Amino acid sequence: AAGVIQSPRHLIKEKRETATLKCYPIPRHDTVYWYQQGPGQDPQFLISFYEKMQSDKGSIPDRFSAQQFSDYHSELNMSSLELGDSALYFCASRVLQGVSEKLFFGSGTQLSVL
Amino acid sequence: AQKITQTQPGMFVQEKEAVTLDCTYDTSDPSYGLFWYKQPSSGEMIFLIYQGSYDQQNATEGRYSLNFQKARKSANLVISASQLGDSAMYFCAMRPPGTGNQFYFGTGTSLTVIP
């Protein structure tokens, strides 16, 4: 079965540059989440989309923006990159299964800001 | 505020033995979901198990089971018959009710399986 696909897998940028991370959720999953995980840290919620509409916002800097497109893929845009933005960025999609739900993560994009 | 606590930063277990990873949570919502994820050194997050707050029975998924004690607000993960491939970081997470609400993660427990 297809999983959540993220691209690129690795990204190296310099300070003040911009970066765009892409996420392709599992088909028919209703919600997409973006998380940031610093080295040795737990994942921190950035933003989520339900049926292409922004549904919740976490600790996402103003320099970051995200959207979900008509084909359900999502992009996280990061501008004026800082050294502290170096982290693993996860996208996840959610499916409801009766009274249960599952959240599946992509393999992540490792962003390094130099 | 929602909060997840994992008090064991690191755990060791002998291969083929069972191990329990602790997780406690704090929420005032009566309805929530609890999750466990595994993160191997390769970095990906792998879904292991889900427990709904109104589920009467403890969730099980193969070698994984969740010891859910609602009154104590604990959701410990039990891994039976540990395998070397179980060595990884394990994160407990909670999702409050409502579509799109964020998942709150604990700080994780690093499990090492010893041959």
Side-chain angles (χ1 to χ4, degrees):
Chain A
V4 178
I5 298 172
Q6 289 188 248
S7 67
R9 188 67 197 273
H10 301 276
L11 189 59
I12 298 175
K13 291 285 184 178
E14 295 192 356
K15 282 171 50 178
R16 293 180 288 276
E17 286 192 320
T18 61
T20 298
L21 279 52
K22 296 185 178 182
C23 168
Y24 297 84
I26 297 173
R28 291 179 294 281
H29 282 201
D30 62 3
T31 306
V32 169
Y33 300 82
W34 283 98
Y35 278 84
Q36 177 192 57
Q37 186 179 25
Q41 304 293 315
D42 50 290
Q44 296 295 314
F45 171 73
L46 293 177
I47 196 168
S48 64
F49 293 88
Y50 174 72
E51 291 293 339
K52 295 171 281 185
M53 299 289 289
Q54 182 182 308
S55 55
D56 204 357
K57 208 169 182 179
S59 52
I60 184 169
D62 292 339
R63 299 177 289 109
F64 294 7
S65 65
Q67 56 183 323
Q68 188 176 24
F69 295 86
S70 57
D71 65 352
Y72 288 89
H73 93 273
S74 179
E75 294 184 3
L76 177 65
N77 298 293
M78 310 159 71
S79 62
S80 302
L81 287 169
E82 302 174 356
L83 296 178
D85 296 330
S86 295
L88 186 58
Y89 290 83
F90 284 107
C91 169
S93 70
R94 183 190 79 136
V95 64
L96 292 174
Q97 296 179 332
V99 297
S100 175
E101 62 178 312
K102 290 185 177 180
L103 189 68
F104 294 90
F105 284 79
S107 298
T109 293
Q110 181 66 57
L111 172 66
S112 298
V113 181
L114 307 178
Chain B
Q2 326 289 349
K3 186 178 179 182
I4 297 284
T5 302
Q6 293 180 253
T7 58
Q8 307 154 314
M11 290 279 287
F12 292 86
V13 63
Q14 202 76 38
E15 192 178 8
K16 299 179 185 175
E17 297 289 314
V19 63
T20 298
L21 307 184
D22 294 342
C23 172
T24 58
Y25 57 92
D26 184 22
T27 180
S28 55
D29 291 307
S31 175
Y32 48 88
L34 296 161
F35 302 77
W36 276 93
Y37 285 86
K38 171 185 177 182
Q39 187 175 41
S41 57
S42 52
E44 73 266 32
M45 294 284 274
I46 302 168
F47 168 82
L48 295 179
I49 198 166
Y50 165 84
Q51 178 85 44
S53 60
Y54 291 118
D55 292 345
Q56 296 296 317
Q57 293 184 324
N58 287 345
T60 60
E61 293 274 358
R63 294 186 299 110
Y64 304 107
S65 61
L66 201 151
N67 184 1
F68 181 46
Q69 298 185 44
K70 193 170 182 178
R72 298 179 59 185
K73 294 188 177 180
S74 75
N76 299 340
L77 177 70
V78 180
I79 305 175
S80 62
S82 297
Q83 302 172 356
L84 295 178
D86 293 336
S87 294
M89 280 291 288
Y90 287 81
F91 290 97
C92 179
M94 177 176 68
R95 191 187 73 76
T99 301
N101 281 9
Q102 56 185 289
F103 285 71
Y104 297 89
F105 282 84
T107 51
T109 295
S110 176
L111 176 67
T112 301
V113 180
I114 304 167

